[in-house]
Amino acid sequence: MKELAAARGADLLVVDSGDMHDGNGLSDGFPEGGVDGHETNKIFARMPYDALAIGNHELYKYPITLDVYKNFAPKWKGRYLTSNVNITMVSPSGQVTNVPVGERYAKFTTSQGRKVTALGVLFNFVNYARNTTVQEPELLVAEKWFQDVIEEEPDFFLLLGHMAVYEDNWPVVFAAIRERHPQTPIFIFGGHTHIRDCVMLDDRSMALESGRYMETVGWMSATLPSKGKDMKFSRRYLDNNRVTYQASINYHTNTTATTFDTPGGLAITRSLYDLVAKFNLGTTFGVVPQDYYLDRLNEFGAYSQSVTDDDAFVASRYNAWRKKQYESFSGSLVDSEGKPLTLGYVTTDQCPGGPGDDTPHRPIPIFDAPGYVGHSNVIPSAAKQTMVDVIFLNFFLADIVKAANELRAEAHWDVSRWMPRNITVEDAAVYGDLESNQVFGKSGGMRGLRYLCLTLKLFGKEKAFPRLPTARDQLRPTNTTDQKRKLRNCKLELGDIMVRSKPGQVKQSKWASVPAAEKTGDTRAPRPSAVKANNDPARNGATHMSPLIQ
């Protein structure tokens, strides 16, 4: 596509707006001693990106941020942009420094000779790991280095970052540039809220957000007329699959199923399969015999297929954006040839030019799902004085507490003997010393973290914690039968959830509160106060498809 653009005298820039870590076994399924995303970053590094930005998922754990700083950002030779994100380092001489993870900005000239000033801005993220910092966008634009960078007028400003294009801080950055350059085109590529969206902050700018999980590639096209002349914009949301790119009618690659593949693309495919084998992601735990849905039919979401190690890392919840699509849809359910449209996104955004979806769809049904589902036979009446452990992830602690208290209020029988008062988060305690990486044979889990179990004791008299297998017991199973046996021994069944602990520390005290550092997402210590990003102007230099500049 870059070659096709060049033949037309146009620039095609490929950019990424962050979050390359977490989500499935390819990034999260690394063996003990590895770093989340290290291997997949090697594959991303083969892509022809012109600029990239950091996301919040690169900042939950310091080793991940450090790996990005040392091994990933340098590959992009000044094009990995972290305008408001720093990492604290200790030099070999013992000197502590606070430096950008990548580069603050980049100035470059396109293949067609157009001058670009690019910045990468993260939203005001507060749950970053210790020894990393995120500067508020309002403070960023007041920095002297920022003002110096935008002083010179380019042919256009390229702003990319992991931040929603609607109702977030892009207008702050936009306004700072507009104050200096009222007519200069500004192209913004955002992210984080997982939706397809487009906003025009004025008639010489466009802000595009392109979905989630690599489902969507956003396409923005614009002309660059002389000052005072009208600009023309267009945008498309491409379903990220082979058919989309092959379809000549959609002006993408003008290829067929037999001519689409390139040597580089086939090499990436082989690398992905090699990574599946290296991380043993094909291990089958069981088979889901039929389709289940979380909110399409008011049932739990799992698809009929073998459940492998990779699926254990994948969880997806639909959001209010999708619900709005479904409830407001009034279009046709068939295409121009009368064939039924496939299920998919039906996007309504705030940019002119009609629907932005590259492929027409009918919306996926979505219904309200309850916050919790009860079952009358969970606790047999004859055993209501027996202690019951409710095990869950601390990520859902507040939700579990709320659900338990609501159930207590709605109970049709007297529960005061077993639950004499409403519970609070302080009533939770760590359950055993098992971490999720011992269960899955990984150092992974939600957001690439390690977890222990929390428990709430809701019925009967308090009793001592049972012993769960320790890390030494949890060597990686050698076969599927052994795997299932160990899972049963760990009492980790469907619906069980685990909570992260501090490395090297297992809390066994009963009814212990969750440490503040665990609540904020930090694995080491309570978070220090925010520190301004280093304003050293010497650190210069510096998945969407960016403007097709004509």
Side-chain angles (χ1 to χ4, degrees):
M1 294 176 74
K2 279 179 170 285
E3 293 173 357
L4 291 173
R8 295 171 53 188
D11 286 309
L12 176 61
L13 304 182
V14 182
V15 304
D16 188 280
S17 55
D19 269 10
M20 290 184 168
H21 291 74
D22 304 334
N24 61 52
L26 291 170
S27 60
D28 303 359
F30 54 92
E32 183 69 32
V35 177
D36 184 293
H38 179 80
E39 295 298 326
T40 46
N41 276 353
K42 295 177 182 177
I43 298 175
F44 279 122
R46 303 186 203 175
M47 299 296 293
Y49 286 120
D50 294 280
L52 306 89
I54 198 168
N56 56 297
H57 279 262
E58 280 74 68
L59 297 170
Y60 282 109
K61 294 186 71 177
Y62 183 79
I64 294 175
T65 313
L66 184 63
D67 184 59
V68 170
Y69 173 79
K70 287 185 173 181
N71 301 310
F72 188 66
K75 294 181 181 297
W76 300 104
K77 299 178 181 179
R79 301 289 185 88
Y80 189 80
L81 306 178
T82 60
S83 300
N84 63 331
V85 181
N86 274 26
I87 183 170
T88 300
M89 304 287 298
V90 179
S91 68
S93 63
Q95 182 180 5
V96 177
T97 59
N98 188 245
V99 298
V101 177
E103 300 294 337
R104 295 209 181 286
Y105 64 93
K107 291 190 176 185
F108 60 93
T109 302
T110 69
S111 62
Q112 301 299 315
R114 297 176 176 95
K115 295 181 179 179
V116 184
T117 295
L119 295 146
V121 186
L122 181 64
F123 72 99
N124 188 23
F125 178 55
V126 298
N127 287 331
Y128 47 82
R130 187 182 181 190
N131 293 324
T132 67
T133 55
V134 177
Q135 186 181 36
E136 297 176 24
E138 291 90 342
L139 299 177
L140 166 70
V141 299
E143 295 279 4
K144 184 180 184 302
W145 75 261
F146 182 92
Q147 295 295 327
D148 291 343
V149 165
I150 67 172
E151 179 66 29
E152 180 185 12
E153 183 180 20
D155 288 312
F156 62 90
F157 285 93
L158 176 61
L159 309 181
L160 55 147
H162 206 66
M163 179 161 58
V165 298
Y166 181 68
E167 294 184 338
D168 212 314
N169 284 319
W170 278 122
V172 173
V173 185
F174 175 86
I177 295 173
R178 269 292 172 260
E179 185 177 357
R180 296 281 188 94
H181 307 289
Q183 294 290 313
T184 309
I186 300 176
F187 306 120
I188 301 174
F189 295 90
H192 185 58
T193 53
H194 294 185
I195 69 174
R196 294 178 172 184
D197 200 8
C198 183
V199 177
M200 296 189 71
L201 298 177
D202 64 15
D203 61 0
R204 301 184 74 81
S205 70
M206 180 176 275
L208 188 70
E209 184 174 349
S210 301
R212 60 180 186 174
Y213 308 154
M214 201 83 178
E215 292 175 341
T216 302
V217 171
W219 168 281
M220 182 196 296
S221 178
T223 60
L224 288 180
S226 58
K227 290 183 179 179
K229 300 291 185 179
D230 292 339
M231 289 189 64
K232 294 181 180 179
F233 290 92
S234 66
R235 76 346 184 168
R236 306 287 284 184
Y237 304 106
L238 280 61
D239 294 344
N240 192 30
N241 57 56
R242 292 173 61 96
V243 175
T244 292
Y245 299 118
Q246 291 168 12
S248 58
I249 191 173
N250 285 343
Y251 52 76
H252 299 319
T253 63
N254 293 321
T255 60
T256 66
T258 57
T259 63
F260 176 76
D261 292 305
T262 66
L266 292 173
I268 287 176
T269 299
R270 287 193 296 271
S271 295
L272 292 172
Y273 279 112
D274 290 344
L275 197 54
V276 168
K278 180 178 180 179
F279 288 172
N280 196 23
L281 299 178
T283 300
T284 299
F285 289 147
V287 176
V288 179
Q290 65 186 69
D291 291 350
Y292 297 95
Y293 304 97
L294 174 64
D295 48 22
R296 196 185 299 186
L297 295 173
N298 286 328
E299 293 183 26
F300 185 77
Y303 292 97
S304 177
Q305 60 182 344
S306 295
V307 180
T308 65
D309 206 6
D310 186 43
D311 300 310
F313 290 98
V314 180
S316 175
R317 285 184 174 270
Y318 300 97
N319 51 31
W321 172 72
R322 233 199 69 209
K323 185 176 181 181
K324 181 180 179 181
Q325 291 183 36
Y326 179 67
E327 293 180 343
S328 63
F329 180 73
S330 59
S332 175
L333 298 177
V334 297
D335 62 17
S336 59
E337 298 178 355
K339 298 178 181 178
L341 295 175
T342 56
L343 293 172
Y345 292 130
V346 181
T347 307
T348 301
D349 58 28
Q350 301 169 66
C351 287
D357 296 316
D358 193 62
T359 302
H361 293 290
R362 54 191 172 96
I364 301 170
I366 183 169
F367 302 92
D368 289 331
Y372 53 87
V373 178
H375 194 289
S376 59
N377 293 327
V378 171
I379 305 171
S381 57
K384 284 182 178 176
Q385 295 189 38
T386 303
M387 178 63 68
V388 174
D389 294 323
V390 180
I391 305 172
F392 53 90
L393 274 177
N394 76 318
F395 188 82
F396 299 105
L397 176 57
D399 296 322
I400 295 293
V401 168
K402 179 181 178 182
N405 290 335
E406 288 179 357
L407 287 170
R408 176 178 180 270
E410 297 169 2
H412 298 297
W413 47 284
D414 184 9
V415 298
S416 59
R417 178 177 178 183
W418 300 274
M419 195 173 169
R421 59 171 174 81
N422 278 351
I423 59 173
T424 71
V425 295
E426 303 300 320
D427 291 320
V430 172
Y431 189 82
D433 61 355
L434 180 68
E435 294 185 349
S436 62
N437 61 315
Q438 277 97 55
V439 177
F440 295 115
K442 313 289 181 189
S443 294
M446 181 177 286
R447 291 178 178 167
L449 305 175
R450 295 188 295 181
Y451 297 87
L452 289 174
C453 297
L454 277 188
T455 181
L456 286 170
K457 300 181 179 300
L458 302 182
F459 298 91
K461 298 179 180 179
E462 185 177 346
K463 66 179 181 181
F465 286 95
R467 177 192 180 275
L468 288 183
T470 64
R472 180 172 296 180
D473 298 326
Q474 293 301 306
L475 298 177
R476 184 168 180 83
T478 56
N479 57 64
T480 302
T481 301
D482 193 31
Q483 180 85 304
K484 292 178 180 178
R485 177 181 62 79
K486 287 183 178 287
L487 287 172
R488 287 195 299 271
N489 289 345
C490 297
K491 298 185 178 180
L492 292 170
E493 301 173 356
L494 187 63
D496 288 351
I497 316 174
M498 295 163 286
V499 62
R500 178 178 43 144
S501 72
K502 295 181 180 179
Q505 180 179 357
V506 177
K507 290 184 175 295
Q508 296 288 355
S509 59
K510 302 172 185 177
W511 304 100
S513 62
V514 180
E518 295 179 1
K519 294 177 183 177
T520 60
D522 194 346
T523 61
R524 285 161 291 281
R527 188 172 314 291
S529 58
V531 179
K532 274 192 176 183
N534 187 346
N535 61 1
D536 178 9
R539 294 278 303 195
N540 65 345
T543 289
H544 291 286
M545 278 187 190
S546 83
L548 176 60
I549 308 299
Q550 299 177 336

